[in-house]
Amino acid sequence: MTVTPYDLTVRPITGRAELDLFRRLPYLNNGELAGDLDSGRRRPEWLWVALRGDRLLARLAWWSRPGASAPLLLDFLDLDDTAPRPERLEAGERLLRTALAATVAEGAPPPEYGRYVPSDWGEHPETAGPVRDRMTVLERTGARLFVERLRLEWRPGTPLPAPSGRLRFRPVHGRAELLSLMTSVLDGTLDAHGRADLTRMSAPAAAADHYEGELARLRSPRDWWRVATLPGGEPVGFVLPAHNGYNAVIAYIGVLPAHRGRGHVDDLLAEGTRVLAAQDVPRVRASTDVGNTPMAHAFRRAGYVDFQHEINMTWSGPPTPAPAREAT
């Protein structure tokens, strides 16, 4: 469809043949798009462009789990940063509104937005400007900043803390045990997504939703997962080393409330990292909220380094209506 005042054509790509068009704007995940289409994580109708003639002014894309019928995450939203700012913001907003109307069920909040950004993005005009422009486009439709997260990485050859000897590690004894442990660690959690879940559902329901929505779908071996116990067998916490289809990751780590503040997270994290390092992986990745200072410190003590941040924005309801000035 074509809209004014900038004579934009806003549409999804026609298929794989237009991937090169979509990839004209730079982003570190451009290289994953073809593989995501092959695996069913993306569909051509989830990749949208805003064109003025042959010039790509803006683009966006959704991601989901393989074979899903609806998108789970808006993870691409890019603007042509060489265009005048009013023009690129207008193009981005019109693209977003048009794509949302065509892709998200009427009356439903859109999927969360996630964007990888440099760790120091706010300190330099060349990175701060583009990040804030994209946030402005989202804010015009009603999205608000939900949380900023640290992305961390452990690299082979980095020393790991030696086992303290205080804990024993064993495999998880099935789904029921893990759900019970996940429910317990939600008590007092500092994780923004976990806290938000608890405003909408009970802790057992939140744990089950997380397990079925993410952990149960991981294809890496379940025997990598570990429960930490005291010498007498009492559980202290758990760590879930995994592979998410892109990288080896620490998918989840938690210490039970009664055992927090005693340094057990260091033993858990070191054990989970050892499990993955034994698979000869090129890196191990993890993430935590910028505001979750205790967990961030634990990762750094284990030799993880910050390599990126992630901006998460959410809508509390359907997109807000466009102002009257935007009527076409």
Side-chain angles (χ1 to χ4, degrees):
M1 65 181 289
T2 302
V3 295
T4 56
Y6 294 110
D7 192 26
L8 292 175
T9 299
V10 177
R11 61 172 177 81
I13 66 170
T14 58
R16 296 180 63 92
E18 287 200 313
L19 269 184
D20 285 344
L21 165 65
F22 189 85
R23 290 186 291 215
R24 285 181 190 171
L25 296 180
Y27 184 43
L28 60 93
N29 283 356
N30 273 355
E32 296 177 354
L33 290 166
D36 284 348
L37 286 171
D38 291 339
S39 67
R41 292 185 174 98
R42 299 189 195 271
R43 300 180 179 188
E45 62 266 30
W46 294 349
L47 281 70
W48 284 68
V49 293
L51 302 162
R52 190 184 66 208
D54 292 331
R55 183 178 181 181
L56 181 63
L57 284 180
R59 66 170 184 179
L60 65 79
W62 283 280
W63 176 95
S64 198
R65 299 188 181 98
S69 60
L72 184 66
L73 178 71
L74 177 65
D75 64 337
F76 276 74
L77 176 61
D78 290 293
L79 311 176
D80 179 353
D81 297 317
T82 67
R85 189 169 187 265
E87 182 178 357
R88 64 178 182 259
L89 293 181
E90 175 78 8
E93 182 180 355
R94 288 187 174 274
L95 170 67
L96 181 57
R97 289 191 181 280
T98 304
L100 286 172
T103 308
V104 178
E106 185 176 357
E112 182 173 302
Y113 167 76
R115 174 77 179 194
Y116 298 147
V117 298
S119 299
D120 60 350
W121 69 269
E123 300 173 17
H124 308 285
E126 63 271 19
T127 52
V131 171
R132 291 187 174 124
D133 279 352
R134 287 147 182 78
M135 294 176 72
T136 295
V137 167
L138 290 149
E139 287 167 351
R140 287 182 177 183
T141 70
R144 295 293 179 264
L145 178 65
F146 178 69
V147 69
E148 184 170 344
R149 290 175 62 79
L150 296 171
R151 301 191 75 217
L152 304 116
E153 183 174 273
W154 180 90
R155 296 154 188 166
T158 304
L160 281 168
S164 69
R166 297 185 300 163
L167 302 179
R168 307 290 184 265
F169 292 94
R170 61 165 172 80
V172 175
H173 291 162
R175 177 181 183 276
E177 181 187 41
L178 183 56
L179 285 179
S180 175
L181 295 172
M182 290 173 64
T183 298
S184 295
V185 301
L186 283 170
D187 182 9
T189 181
L190 298 179
D191 180 82
H193 286 89
R195 292 168 70 92
D197 286 343
L198 293 176
T199 67
R200 301 188 297 269
M201 62 187 85
S202 67
D209 185 68
H210 186 179
Y211 179 87
E212 299 297 343
E214 180 180 351
L215 303 177
R217 299 171 186 265
L218 295 170
R219 297 184 179 181
S220 46
R222 301 286 177 85
D223 61 10
W224 291 358
W225 297 358
R226 298 286 189 268
V227 172
T229 72
L230 297 175
E234 179 185 352
V236 164
F238 62 93
V239 61
L240 307 184
H243 199 288
N244 65 7
Y246 300 100
N247 288 287
V249 296
I250 300 297
Y252 201 161
I253 185 170
V255 178
L256 301 182
H259 297 283
R260 289 173 183 159
R262 303 174 189 176
H264 293 317
V265 67
D266 294 335
D267 291 293
L268 281 160
L269 183 53
E271 176 68 11
T273 308
R274 276 191 288 271
V275 169
L276 294 172
Q279 312 307 314
D280 197 28
V281 297
R283 68 191 69 83
V284 178
R285 288 188 170 171
S287 60
T288 191
D289 295 354
V290 168
N292 191 345
T293 304
M295 186 59 70
H297 287 336
F299 278 113
R300 292 172 183 136
R301 288 194 299 271
Y304 285 71
V305 295
D306 304 7
F307 74 98
Q308 273 175 347
H309 282 199
E310 181 180 5
I311 300 290
N312 290 158
M313 297 181 70
T314 58
W315 289 260
S316 59
T320 55
R325 63 176 173 79
E326 298 189 21
T328 60

